[in-house]
Amino acid sequence: MPIAPPVEAGAQCGPLPAGRMKGGRKHRVPLSPAALALLRALPRHADNLLVFPASRGGLLSDMTLAAVLRRMQVDAVPHGFRSTFRDWAAARTQFPREVAEMALAHAIGDKVEAAYRRGDLFEKRRRLMDDWAAFLDRPDLPGQATPPDGRQPAA
């Protein structure tokens, strides 16, 4: 994700070009202060503007995060991070469904609604992402979660 120039210039969003998006449309990601601090702290390579470049340069493969999770022996898949965010937004916030869906860059299924929706709810998404960052930063989060299939974690 080429985000280094806007972050260095003080911008508070990460632009994702249309070519990188499944829906083929540009998407702006509001970055919380915690996300900006993390991005600014990452090492930079003068010839590479990617946030997480592959070890030999260029883009990481789509399987890189899955491989990292396997090596860490985490029973999860990368898409689960997006699912966790969506579940949290629905269960723990008062943000409208549309704001969470737009934060995930999901397409609007209803063609009539899509025709009338011209904005990107950026400021509402910024507040949502700030709340998400605050939630993730809580030291009192429980250490175990119940898997989606209802199994109880081993004691």
Side-chain angles (χ1 to χ4, degrees):
M1 175 190 331
I3 199 170
V7 171
E8 297 304 326
Q12 297 202 352
C13 78
L16 295 171
R20 295 280 319 276
M21 299 299 298
K22 187 163 66 171
R25 290 192 345 240
K26 181 177 79 169
H27 183 66
R28 295 185 307 155
V29 178
L31 299 170
S32 69
L36 285 167
L38 175 70
L39 290 170
R40 288 187 180 116
L42 290 173
R44 294 280 184 250
H45 304 282
D47 60 338
N48 192 335
L49 299 179
L50 298 171
V51 174
F52 302 110
S55 59
R56 293 187 179 103
L59 296 171
L60 293 173
S61 80
D62 60 347
M63 295 303 296
T64 301
L65 186 53
V68 168
L69 291 170
R70 272 194 309 277
R71 283 193 302 274
M72 293 174 63
Q73 298 179 345
V74 174
D75 186 21
V77 295
H79 193 77
F81 292 107
R82 291 172 55 90
S83 177
T84 298
F85 166 78
R86 186 62 188 90
D87 289 346
W88 167 84
R92 307 282 298 265
T93 79
Q94 297 298 314
F95 287 95
R97 178 184 186 282
E98 296 81 16
V99 175
E101 290 298 306
M102 201 166 278
L104 292 167
H106 286 167
I108 300 169
D110 182 308
K111 290 183 187 217
V112 173
E113 183 181 350
Y116 286 97
R117 170 99 29 94
R118 290 184 175 80
D120 68 357
L121 304 176
F122 189 78
E123 287 308 315
K124 289 182 179 183
R125 290 188 297 120
R126 177 185 306 284
R127 290 192 300 275
L128 174 65
M129 299 315 290
D130 286 347
D131 286 358
W132 175 240
F135 174 76
L136 293 176
D137 197 37
R138 288 180 40 201
D140 62 335
L141 287 175
Q144 294 186 344
T146 302
D149 63 5
R151 293 178 292 123
Q152 292 300 314

